[in-house]
């Protein structure tokens, strides 16, 4: 079947001013962030027809519909034409692991593992749309501020698009695995003597004065790709929404994208009820949680401190859009300690799943919300794991080998002599 074409435009989330979908600006004159809206020229297809269309594309043998982003083209960027820049990406698993479920306290817990994307994180979903748009508007270079994952994804997709890429990263605050990806993919990597927020300000200045196209999560096309995490997990659940979607929260792009995805899935008739979003921040980098506790009466900025570099952000760019997502889904914002995050990571890793430290915030947050009675017994929960295990190898070494006393779940390597008796001794002590 075919779906009636959409008219896409960019709209300021603050004042409502409209811009062409190919306008390269990232913010309105009023300072508000832009978002993409897709309005149908004709009547929407029935729920059954739309579901059938997306389901049929899951078996595509070639072309853009191999992608777990472009499968939902009508809801992402229907006018992309032949400019699509794709690996493909998406098609990430929805996993059930009894040991993780037991640790979390949630009896019906599923893990949506975005670390299975081409460069090892959810960022690839947004970057396929962002680089597609960069090509459409004739960008000559692309750039981002990054704690690692965004820069790695930018580099890989810029290479596909044939565009030079620049990344501003906070010196000394990027995991080695991520930094090596930037270098390997050919990104011009600038180590900034400052935190992520300083990098973000520098990237924005470069956009205004040097004309490079910025692909941080303030870019509305990035969010169009990231919202397909929700479309895909809904499709994997046969379009029966879970009760909760729990997501790590740093710059708040995913929180905003998830809220947008759920509203659109409802408005397009794909679902009839909205899951609640739970955004989880590290205690040492929790400006959004501080605002939530005050009913979002004011926006906070903090000096971020956490072992989870991917969410070590003190002034999240997508704040206003994320506030709307939490309000519209009757969501919550919570925090977890670094120790809770690392313990959750050890449990996830030992289940054969694996994730980077920031990803484990979703499972640690689920456990906290269960203990507090906010997530009810028997609720179906999808916790999003945002990045791959090998994104942060240093954290694994610290947790399992260096930390004293040994934390819960530590798996110390055992030194032995080359004797079978030593192997037997180890086996008997298991």
């Amino acid at each position: 079947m075919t779906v009636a074409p959409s008219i896409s435009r960019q709209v300021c989330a603050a004042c409502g001013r409209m811009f062409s979908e190919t306008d390269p600006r990232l913010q309105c004159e009023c300072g508000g962030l832009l978002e993409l809206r897709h309005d149908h020229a004709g009547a929407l297809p029935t729920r059954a027809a739309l579901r059938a269309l997306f389901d049929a594309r899951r078996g595509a043998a070639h072309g853009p519909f191999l992608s777990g982003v472009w499968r939902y083209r009508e809801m992402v960027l229907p006018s992309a034409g032949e400019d699509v820049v794709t690996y493909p990406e998406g098609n990430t698993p929805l996993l059930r692991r009894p040991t993780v479920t037991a640790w979390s306290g949630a009896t019906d817990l599923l893990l949506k593992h975005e670390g299975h994307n081409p460069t090892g994180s959810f960022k690839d979903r947004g970057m396929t749309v962002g680089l597609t748009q960069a090509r459409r508007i004739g960008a000559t270079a692309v750039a981002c501020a990054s704690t690692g994952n965004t820069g790695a994804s930018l580099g890989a997709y810029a290479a596909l698009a044939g565009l030079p890429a620049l990344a501003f990263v906070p010196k000394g605050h990027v995991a080695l695995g991520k930094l090596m990806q930037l270098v390997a993919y050919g990104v011009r990597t600038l180590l900034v003597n400052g935190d992520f927020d300083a990098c973000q300000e520098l990237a924005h200045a470069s956009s205004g004065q040097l004309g490079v196209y910025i692909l941080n999560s303030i870019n509305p096309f990035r969010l169009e790709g990231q919202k397909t995490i929700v479309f895909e997990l809904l499709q994997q659940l046969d379009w029966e929404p879970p009760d909760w979607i729990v997501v790590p929260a740093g710059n708040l792009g995913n929180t905003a994208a998830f809220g947008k995805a759920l509203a659109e899935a409802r408005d397009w008739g794909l679902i009839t009820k909205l899951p609640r979003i739970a955004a989880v921040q590290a205690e040492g980098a929790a400006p959004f949680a501080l605002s939530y506790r005050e009913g979002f009466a004011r926006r906070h900025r903090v000096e971020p401190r956490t072992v989870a570099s991917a969410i070590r952000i003190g002034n999240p760019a997508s704040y206003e859009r994320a506030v709307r997502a939490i309000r519209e889904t009757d969501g919550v914002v919570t925090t977890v300690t670094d120790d809770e995050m690392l313990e959750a990571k050890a449990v996830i890793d030992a289940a054969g799943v694996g994730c980077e430290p920031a990803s484990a915030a979703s499972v640690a947050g689920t456990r906290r919300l269960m203990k507090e009675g906010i997530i009810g017994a028997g609720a179906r929960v999808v916790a999003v794991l945002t990045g791959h295990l090998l994104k942060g190898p240093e954290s694994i070494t610290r947790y399992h080998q260096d930390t004293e006393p040994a934390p819960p779940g530590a798996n110390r390597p055992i030194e032995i002599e080359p004797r079978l008796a030593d192997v037997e001794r180890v086996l008997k002590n298991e």
Side-chain angles (χ1 to χ4, degrees):
M1 67 159 287
T2 57
V3 175
S6 295
I7 299 170
S8 301
R9 59 178 64 87
Q10 297 183 77
V11 180
C12 174
C15 73
R17 184 179 176 187
M18 295 184 182
F19 302 89
S20 160
E21 69 168 305
T22 54
D23 192 312
R25 77 186 74 198
L26 299 178
Q27 288 181 272
C28 179
E29 284 88 344
C30 76
L33 296 181
L34 305 183
E35 62 182 27
L36 215 58
R37 301 265 180 88
H38 309 296
D39 299 323
H40 265 277
L44 279 169
T46 65
R47 176 189 307 175
L50 195 57
R51 288 178 176 180
L53 173 68
F54 295 149
D55 288 345
R57 289 175 178 171
R58 293 179 80 176
H62 55 80
F65 296 149
L66 277 169
S67 165
V69 172
W70 296 104
R71 179 187 309 143
Y72 312 102
R73 183 182 193 131
E74 290 78 4
M75 301 180 74
V76 173
L77 191 59
S79 58
E82 300 302 315
D83 291 311
V84 171
V85 180
T86 178
Y87 252 87
E89 49 290 309
N91 299 304
T92 60
L94 198 59
L95 307 171
R96 190 185 298 277
R97 293 293 183 271
T99 53
V100 181
T101 297
W103 185 87
S104 73
T107 56
D108 190 2
L109 175 67
L110 294 162
L111 307 173
K112 179 65 171 163
H113 203 335
E114 289 297 298
H116 287 239
N117 274 290
T119 73
S121 85
F122 75 92
K123 304 286 187 177
D124 295 343
R125 288 188 186 261
M127 211 57 74
T128 180
V129 184
L131 260 298
T132 294
Q133 181 67 2
R135 177 184 277 177
R136 294 176 78 210
I137 65 174
T140 56
V142 292
C144 70
S146 179
T147 56
N149 284 335
T150 302
S153 185
L154 177 82
Y157 281 82
L160 280 178
L163 289 173
L166 192 68
F168 302 89
V169 303
K171 184 179 178 180
H173 295 287
V174 177
L176 180 62
K178 300 175 187 179
L179 185 60
M180 291 303 97
Q181 281 186 288
L182 270 72
V183 174
Y185 292 141
V187 178
R188 297 292 291 173
T189 305
L190 305 181
L191 303 177
V192 178
N193 290 314
D195 61 12
F196 173 81
D197 300 311
C199 293
Q200 195 161 241
E201 290 169 7
L202 189 57
H204 293 174
S206 300
S207 172
Q209 298 180 37
L210 303 179
V212 296
Y213 189 56
I214 299 299
L215 283 166
N216 280 105
S217 59
I218 63 166
N219 187 305
F221 295 87
R222 278 274 312 275
L223 266 61
E224 290 304 294
Q226 287 168 215
K227 75 185 186 185
T228 62
I229 298 170
V230 169
F231 296 156
E232 190 172 87
L233 74 85
L234 290 171
Q235 188 175 25
Q236 289 168 316
L237 293 172
D238 198 26
W239 305 104
E240 289 295 326
D243 298 296
W244 288 87
I245 299 175
V246 187
V247 60
N251 217 21
L252 303 181
N254 269 343
T255 305
F258 286 16
K260 189 173 190 290
L262 290 170
E264 290 175 354
R266 177 198 58 202
D267 294 345
W268 286 52
L270 289 168
I271 58 175
T272 56
K273 71 166 187 174
L274 293 183
R276 298 176 71 182
I277 293 174
V280 186
Q281 297 206 285
E283 272 193 5
F288 193 51
L290 288 174
S291 295
Y292 171 77
R293 290 165 192 161
E294 298 173 354
F296 296 123
R298 63 189 177 112
R299 180 171 179 169
H300 285 268
R301 179 171 183 164
V302 302
E303 188 69 34
R305 291 182 176 84
T306 174
V307 297
S309 62
I311 55 175
R312 190 189 293 135
I313 296 167
N315 186 28
S318 292
Y319 174 84
E320 289 87 359
R321 296 184 295 200
V323 169
R324 186 173 67 194
I326 294 298
R327 285 176 168 161
E328 290 183 351
T329 64
D330 189 26
V332 300
V333 186
T334 192
T335 61
V336 293
T337 66
D338 281 0
D339 286 347
E340 289 171 326
M341 227 183 316
L342 291 174
E343 185 178 345
K345 172 177 159 50
V347 172
I348 295 163
D349 293 350
V353 175
C355 67
E356 69 169 312
S359 295
S362 61
V363 174
T366 298
R367 189 187 203 197
R368 173 165 286 196
L369 293 170
M370 289 295 302
K371 287 181 175 179
E372 293 172 350
I374 295 172
I375 296 179
R380 168 162 281 191
V381 180
V382 176
V384 179
L385 305 180
T386 47
H388 193 275
L389 169 72
L390 296 179
K391 286 286 190 174
E394 307 95 329
S395 68
I396 299 171
T397 301
R398 282 195 303 270
Y399 189 86
H400 291 285
Q401 291 185 236
D402 300 337
T403 303
E404 296 291 351
N411 181 22
R412 295 279 203 255
I414 302 168
E415 184 176 339
I416 66 169
E417 296 301 323
R419 296 189 299 256
L420 191 60
D422 282 17
V423 179
E424 183 180 23
R425 172 175 53 81
V426 171
L427 287 173
K428 286 181 176 178
N429 288 334
E430 284 294 319

